[in-house]
Amino acid sequence: CWILWKRFSKMAARATAAVKQVSRRIFGEVLNPPTTSSPNKYLHNLVRLRAIGEYYPLQHESDARLPQRLYAASMYYDTLLEWQNAKREYLRVRGKSPPEKGAGAKSKKKK
């Protein structure tokens, strides 16, 4: 029984190899063999990121603080900045503002 099984497995292996060879001859090499991961996800992400990068303009770090600098120099007025500063001042007066650096409750316990 074992000898028959061995012969059958050899024949099955030969048949499988022959089918693969014929398949390669007809269809060419396999584009996405099952042992390798597909690059489609990576390529899709590259295309999407490139499209997003082209859609949005370049933003520099200096542009982020420009309204605050102009506001501090009284050259720019922003109602949102005005409201945020007023709220910070209101909380500071009431003693509800965040502590200064190194003045928190945890650092007071250590001293």
Side-chain angles (χ1 to χ4, degrees):
C1 183
W2 184 77
I3 295 171
L4 290 175
W5 176 256
K6 194 172 183 181
R7 283 184 186 172
F8 178 74
S9 64
K10 284 183 182 179
M11 286 174 29
R14 284 188 205 134
T16 305
V19 169
K20 284 184 180 179
Q21 189 177 11
V22 170
S23 175
R24 275 192 231 118
R25 210 178 291 153
I26 294 171
F27 300 111
E29 287 296 320
V30 178
L31 293 177
N32 189 14
T35 57
T36 60
S37 60
S38 174
N40 291 342
K41 186 176 181 182
Y42 175 73
L43 293 174
H44 178 71
N45 284 342
L46 280 180
V47 170
R48 189 178 65 195
L49 290 175
R50 192 172 297 134
I52 289 172
E54 291 172 359
Y55 179 78
Y56 290 105
L58 291 175
Q59 292 179 346
H60 300 286
E61 291 181 15
S62 61
D63 293 345
R65 296 215 177 244
L66 184 63
Q68 292 176 347
R69 290 178 184 160
L70 292 174
Y71 178 80
S74 300
M75 298 173 64
Y76 174 75
Y77 182 78
D78 188 6
T79 55
L80 178 64
L81 279 175
E82 185 71 32
W83 177 78
Q84 287 173 345
N85 290 338
K87 184 168 183 178
R88 265 192 225 108
E89 182 64 25
Y90 175 69
L91 290 174
R92 188 188 64 76
V93 170
R94 290 179 52 217
K96 303 289 185 178
S97 64
E100 297 295 322
K101 188 171 180 180
K106 194 170 186 180
S107 65
K108 286 180 183 175
K109 288 180 184 177
K110 290 181 182 178
K111 292 180 183 178

